[in-house]
Amino acid sequence: MPGAHEPLVRVEGLVKHFPLRRGLWSRQAGVVKAVDDVSFDIRRGETLCLVGESGCGKSTTARLILRLLEPTAGKVFFEGKNIFELPAREMRSLRKEMQLIFQDPYASLNARMTVGEIIGEPLVVHKLAKGAALERRVKELLEAVGLASYHAKRYPHEFSGGQRQRIGIARALAVNPKLVVCDEPVSALDVSVQAQVLNLLKDLQDELQLTYLFIAHDLSVVKHMGDRIAVMYLGKIVEVADKASLYQNPQHPYTRALMSAIPIADPTVKRERILLEGDVPSAINPPRGCRFHTRCPIAQEICAIEEPPLRMVGEGHACACHLVPAAASASHPAGAGTKAGVEAAEG
């Protein structure tokens, strides 16, 4: 049994490069460095939010953690087991413990299946229930997400976007998982129903003792949901901190730029907007040194030469920036690809 303080998920040096093929013979002309040496922990019962611009590697990281993709390098430990070393039979059994809520509630549900069949399918696949027990469990799940039991006989096209996402949540919870990966679960929904779905997720987490990896680009959503936040840029983690530290005192220049873009409801409050120049570099040929230096307003010569390690800059606060002083307690950088470094960086 894993120790009481063992994180539910530990990611070490995770790398995913996609081959880029061109020409008549589909020869490899390079690689897309979607995820490049990413390390972090997800503690039991917490919500770790992974944020960043579109294309930074958030969803690819999530799919690697679920082993929906095989990595180029690195390890993912779930309750102390490296999932990439597990045989197919054991991995199939482990899938009950980790589930995914998809971004698009319209595309993620099979239009030919009733809601009852959609929610019950994981139970049938894993041979957890059948017959009357299956019907009873489906009704329990529908009621848990705020839908009625008679909705089980309807089809997805008969529901609104928010209701469809509730169906997706019920399906993810059917097998009583420990980890739920939420891949931008409200970005496709109307603003009027986003808060309802987010509150539902928080209530279910408290009730069922769930652990969330929550992927988002809306920092208002992240502030509502997250316990800790990891900021990602061009395939790398650039800052990790608890919610209060990150919003009150962001350290990395990229995080500061993201925070400056959050709308403020009070028109009397003025905030300096940090506008980043240029476009996000290509993941095929990322910049040498710090990947953010080509857009960073405070970049120095060292930033273009040496890649900054993820290191402690405060209690429970890690940042990968040469220009942010390390915490006094951290006499050396916390290497982003090492277990000791990440544990120190994430407190």
Side-chain angles (χ1 to χ4, degrees):
M1 292 294 289
H5 300 291
E6 174 99 12
L8 181 66
V9 177
R10 190 171 77 247
V11 178
E12 292 185 2
L14 197 58
V15 177
K16 181 61 179 179
H17 293 173
F18 294 97
L20 184 67
R21 302 188 182 279
R22 292 175 179 164
L24 181 63
W25 307 108
S26 297
R27 293 175 178 170
Q28 184 169 328
V31 294
V32 177
K33 298 178 180 180
V35 177
D36 214 4
D37 196 15
V38 164
S39 300
F40 57 84
D41 289 346
I42 308 176
R43 302 165 186 163
R44 294 175 186 272
E46 79 165 349
T47 299
L48 176 70
C49 292
L50 193 58
V51 302
E53 294 172 278
S54 296
C56 71
K58 305 185 300 296
S59 293
T60 301
T61 300
R63 280 158 174 73
L64 288 166
I65 290 173
L66 296 171
R67 202 178 170 182
L68 298 177
L69 294 172
E70 294 294 325
T72 303
K75 302 175 182 177
V76 173
F77 294 92
F78 186 88
E79 294 190 317
K81 296 180 180 179
N82 184 359
I83 66 171
F84 299 126
E85 294 180 348
L86 297 179
R89 181 186 295 271
E90 194 171 347
M91 189 64 217
R92 180 184 177 90
S93 177
L94 185 64
R95 292 206 182 278
K96 296 194 299 290
E97 310 292 343
M98 47 176 73
Q99 291 292 305
L100 174 64
I101 299 173
F102 294 90
Q103 177 178 356
D104 188 351
Y106 293 90
S108 63
L109 302 180
N110 190 331
R112 299 188 178 202
M113 298 173 68
T114 66
V115 167
E117 291 170 338
I118 290 171
I119 296 174
E121 186 177 25
L123 296 166
V124 174
V125 168
H126 290 285
K127 300 179 181 179
L128 297 176
K130 62 181 180 179
L134 178 62
E135 292 183 11
R136 186 165 54 251
R137 178 61 176 156
V138 168
K139 290 179 179 180
E140 289 175 357
L141 289 162
L142 283 169
E143 291 170 358
V145 298
L147 297 174
S149 59
Y150 61 81
H151 286 146
K153 298 186 181 299
R154 296 186 179 180
Y155 288 85
H157 73 270
E158 300 179 68
F159 295 89
S160 67
Q163 289 174 319
R164 291 188 194 196
Q165 196 59 295
R166 289 172 185 266
I167 295 167
I169 293 170
R171 176 178 59 186
L173 298 181
V175 290
N176 293 317
K178 295 177 181 176
L179 173 70
V180 178
V181 176
C182 307
D183 189 2
E184 302 200 37
V186 297
S187 62
L189 304 179
D190 292 340
V191 175
S192 60
V193 298
Q194 285 186 4
Q196 298 173 20
V197 174
L198 292 174
N199 288 334
L200 172 64
L201 288 170
K202 288 184 73 71
D203 291 343
L204 290 169
Q205 182 178 34
D206 293 338
E207 180 182 346
L208 303 175
Q209 301 299 306
L210 299 171
T211 301
Y212 287 153
L213 173 61
F214 194 95
I215 297 169
H217 61 266
D218 186 334
L219 290 171
S220 299
V221 169
V222 168
K223 189 174 184 179
H224 179 69
M225 287 295 298
D227 296 311
R228 286 189 305 136
I229 300 167
V231 181
M232 200 166 184
Y233 181 81
L234 205 61
K236 285 188 173 288
I237 300 290
V238 297
E239 189 163 4
V240 181
D242 63 80
K243 177 171 60 178
S245 296
L246 196 79
Y247 278 82
Q248 293 171 12
N249 189 27
Q251 293 292 308
H252 197 279
Y254 177 61
T255 309
R256 292 177 182 174
L258 290 179
M259 294 297 177
S260 75
I262 301 175
I264 299 177
D266 188 350
T268 64
V269 177
K270 302 298 181 183
R271 174 191 285 163
E272 180 184 358
R273 178 71 189 275
I274 301 175
L275 298 176
L276 299 178
E277 297 182 357
D279 298 323
V280 180
S282 170
I284 300 173
N285 187 25
R288 183 187 174 194
C290 174
R291 296 192 174 185
F292 184 61
H293 84 266
T294 57
R295 304 173 72 198
C296 181
I298 61 171
Q300 303 294 323
E301 184 177 352
I302 189 175
C303 303
I305 300 172
E306 184 179 337
E307 182 178 329
L310 189 67
R311 58 182 180 174
M312 288 289 291
V313 296
E315 185 176 354
H317 196 148
C319 178
C321 179
H322 291 299
L323 307 180
V324 177
S329 60
S331 58
H332 57 83
T338 65
K339 176 182 176 183
V342 173
E343 288 178 345
E346 298 188 0

